Amino acid sequence: MMIENLYGRTRKLLTAVTMITSVAMLAGAATAEESKLAQVLFNNVTIFDGKSRKLSPNMNVLVEANMIKTISKSSISAGEATVIDGEGRTLMPGMIENHAHLMLMGPSLPAMESMTTWEDFAIHGTKMAEMYLNQGFTTVRDAGGGNAGLQRAINSGMISGPRYYPSAAFIGGRGGHADFANYTAPIGESSNMSRLNMAVEADGRDEVLKVARNNFRMGASQLKVMQSGGVVSAFDPWQMDGRTSDEISAAVEVAEQYGTYVMAHSYKREAMVAALEAGVKSLEHGFMYDCKIGKLMEKKGAYITTNLTAFIPGLLDIPAVKNVPASFRKAKTAQLAFEDYLDNMRSCPAKRGFHTDCVGSVESCNKQIHHEQFLNGDFFDNHTALVAMTSVGGEIAAMTGDFMNPYPDGKLGVIEEGAYADILLIDGNPLEDLSVIGAHPKWFDAPTPPDSPVGIVLIMKDGVIHKNTL
């Protein structure tokens, strides 16, 4: 009996030791596996880092998982990495769109309000997201109309698209630029756009507080308030100041509670001043910008994004403008009032992000993106254009802070160690020729763009190669 008990205790002890050893071996294997993160090594590339005026030739860049790990002029040792020989091509950050409306397919606001279902919006948003990534835009800030559903689908890999910073519903007042309801809609009645939390009426401080909080509940990264009137909306002259200081401050107060910021649709100089004084950090459009606004922006740490297509005759050919008589009249008067913007921005440059603001079909928005790229270089210079499309956009994204930033682990819009691996490889030098990233001198009469610009030979987003024609 004593021998049997001793034997049993020995067996239990051996079993325990075996289990502990096995667990330790598994843990070690897991640790070793985790240490072998996927690596991609770009050899012999010429870097545009998103900021510098000069390219850096003969460089090597190591990507590990979804981050840029090492940048070196010397060779980088990475034995198990996938190696890509850049052959001197330009390696630059993925581009950033700072003012898009991925869910708004047009052709006009009345049509979207009365003849469009959630399925139509969702399908259009999916195709727009795919188009933007194919054009080399690895990040998009949606300036109103999109909630977090599209972001979740992209992040999960269900659909293809860029990093997505939604603003949820436009916040405006009755008769303002966020009032997309039918002409006969009575006060307080919900609309197609409000039911889908794409645009909401909020009059007074308390209503703004409620809808602002609801936008964050729906996944917004930042808020968008409609301060000035607009061109494509039905009831508001563009000259109006559609928000009181108290209403703007209410939105800013909620945004700051969430550690993020407010962007404001602002045209007039007075509107921009009021927005900045209330704490708005991103002026949208800002067509009556001047040097005094620039100084106030610098003091407040604010940014501006402007759709440069507003300054060319082709603006009047946009379907959402051309097909609505009231919008067409407003666009003509607006262009006359905005004629000093370019000279003022050249004289007193502000931190300006790239901004397309397309409402329409995927094909028409694709053309508009490429014409907007061209105008950025033509009205300013190629370096200014590229900075607007990269590092400035990354700074704007970072203003969403630690809580609401959906991508908080690295910088965007730059080629730096520790930045996200959102990378383009370009066959050519975009500082000399923006057409290599798709820029085109024509707009509506431009040929149908290719699915992806030929000059962009590789697109990497979050460390994953989306396109590679090498």
Side-chain angles (χ1 to χ4, degrees):
M1 181 67 70
M2 291 179 60
I3 295 174
E4 289 179 358
N5 288 340
L6 178 62
Y7 176 72
R9 288 196 298 270
T10 303
R11 286 188 59 189
K12 289 178 181 179
L13 179 61
L14 290 172
T15 301
V17 170
T18 302
M19 290 177 64
I20 292 170
T21 304
S22 298
V23 169
M25 291 176 64
L26 287 171
T31 302
E33 189 66 29
E34 289 170 3
S35 69
K36 294 180 181 178
L37 298 174
Q39 293 181 325
V40 177
L41 176 60
F42 294 91
N43 282 332
N44 187 20
V45 293
T46 303
I47 293 178
F48 169 66
D49 63 5
K51 297 178 180 180
S52 302
R53 288 189 171 274
K54 293 184 178 180
L55 302 181
S56 300
N58 304 315
M59 300 297 290
N60 306 293
V61 177
L62 177 64
V63 170
E64 185 172 88
N66 64 337
M67 311 294 282
I68 297 174
K69 183 178 182 181
T70 308
I71 301 173
S72 176
K73 197 148 184 98
S74 303
S75 60
I76 298 173
S77 177
E80 298 185 15
T82 298
V83 178
I84 295 174
D85 185 357
E87 298 181 335
R89 294 180 177 88
T90 303
L91 185 145
M92 64 173 280
M95 291 179 284
I96 298 176
E97 166 72 84
N98 281 289
H99 190 118
H101 301 292
L102 267 59
M103 306 302 287
L104 304 186
M105 76 284 289
S108 66
L109 295 176
M112 287 187 286
E113 173 59 33
S114 61
M115 298 184 293
T116 309
T117 69
W118 68 266
E119 295 101 329
D120 300 313
F121 288 122
I123 293 168
H124 178 76
T126 298
K127 300 306 291 183
M128 284 286 286
E130 182 181 59
M131 180 271 288
Y132 260 105
L133 184 55
N134 285 339
Q135 301 310 311
F137 286 84
T138 52
T139 298
V140 168
R141 181 179 67 161
D142 196 304
N147 297 285
L150 189 61
Q151 181 193 81
R152 289 192 295 270
I154 293 170
N155 290 352
S156 70
M158 185 181 300
I159 64 174
S160 175
R163 300 180 190 273
Y164 187 62
Y165 286 79
S167 301
F170 303 97
I171 302 174
R174 177 72 173 180
H177 195 50
D179 183 355
F180 300 157
N182 292 323
Y183 182 76
T184 56
I187 292 176
E189 183 173 287
S190 65
S191 66
N192 188 30
M193 303 288 263
S194 68
R195 285 188 293 271
L196 298 172
N197 202 56
M198 298 177 72
V200 293
E201 293 179 30
D203 293 298
R205 175 179 173 80
D206 288 345
E207 286 193 17
V208 172
L209 291 173
K210 181 178 288 186
V211 300
R213 288 167 178 151
N214 186 63
N215 273 352
F216 286 125
R217 185 177 184 271
M218 299 298 289
S221 303
Q222 63 284 318
L223 300 178
K224 168 73 174 295
V225 297
M226 296 300 210
Q227 185 186 15
S228 296
V231 170
V232 298
S233 43
F235 311 115
D236 50 324
W238 64 262
Q239 298 93 335
M240 75 179 288
D241 294 332
R243 299 275 80 186
T244 67
S245 294
D246 198 35
E247 287 170 327
I248 299 171
S249 296
V252 170
E253 183 178 342
V254 174
E256 289 180 347
Q257 289 172 353
Y258 282 80
T260 183
Y261 70 97
V262 171
M263 54 199 296
H265 168 101
S266 303
Y267 282 7
K268 290 171 57 180
R269 184 185 184 281
E270 296 81 1
M272 287 186 273
V273 170
L276 292 169
E277 293 292 358
V280 166
K281 293 297 185 184
S282 182
L283 298 174
E284 304 307 300
H285 309 291
F287 293 133
M288 299 184 79
Y289 172 89
D290 61 24
C291 293
K292 290 184 178 179
I293 297 291
K295 289 181 179 179
L296 184 58
M297 286 178 59
E298 185 175 4
K299 177 182 176 182
K300 299 289 187 179
Y303 294 77
I304 189 169
T305 79
T306 306
N307 45 320
L308 301 182
T309 48
F311 307 116
I312 65 171
L315 174 72
L316 303 178
D317 294 324
I318 297 175
V321 173
K322 184 178 181 180
N323 298 338
V324 183
S327 295
F328 187 78
R329 288 193 300 272
K330 289 194 287 183
K332 291 179 70 175
T333 62
Q335 281 197 317
L336 292 174
F338 304 158
E339 60 185 4
D340 293 332
Y341 172 94
L342 294 173
D343 287 339
N344 290 337
M345 187 59 72
R346 293 184 190 112
S347 299
C348 307
K351 287 198 169 186
R352 182 181 58 84
F354 183 79
H355 171 148
T356 302
D357 194 31
C358 182
V359 175
S361 69
V362 176
E363 181 178 341
S364 67
C365 288
N366 196 349
K367 290 182 179 182
Q368 189 169 334
I369 289 166
H370 294 314
H371 192 53
E372 187 71 39
Q373 290 173 319
F374 169 81
L375 293 177
N376 267 263
D378 190 49
F379 289 158
F380 300 101
D381 59 68
N382 288 4
H383 174 259
T384 300
L386 289 167
V387 168
M389 284 184 268
T390 55
S391 59
V392 171
E395 292 175 20
I396 292 173
M399 287 199 298
T400 52
D402 296 330
F403 309 137
M404 302 312 295
N405 189 346
Y407 315 101
D409 296 329
K411 288 185 179 181
L412 296 171
V414 292
I415 301 298
E416 294 179 7
E417 293 180 358
Y420 277 116
D422 293 359
I423 292 171
L424 307 180
L425 197 58
I426 310 297
D427 200 358
N429 181 355
L431 284 174
E432 296 177 353
D433 180 11
L434 287 176
S435 72
V436 296
I437 58 171
H440 202 285
K442 293 184 177 181
W443 188 0
F444 287 100
D445 55 346
T448 300
D451 290 339
S452 183
V454 175
I456 302 178
V457 298
L458 183 143
I459 299 171
M460 170 182 279
K461 177 208 156 191
D462 204 37
V464 177
I465 295 175
H466 174 73
K467 171 190 176 180
N468 186 1
T469 61
L470 292 176

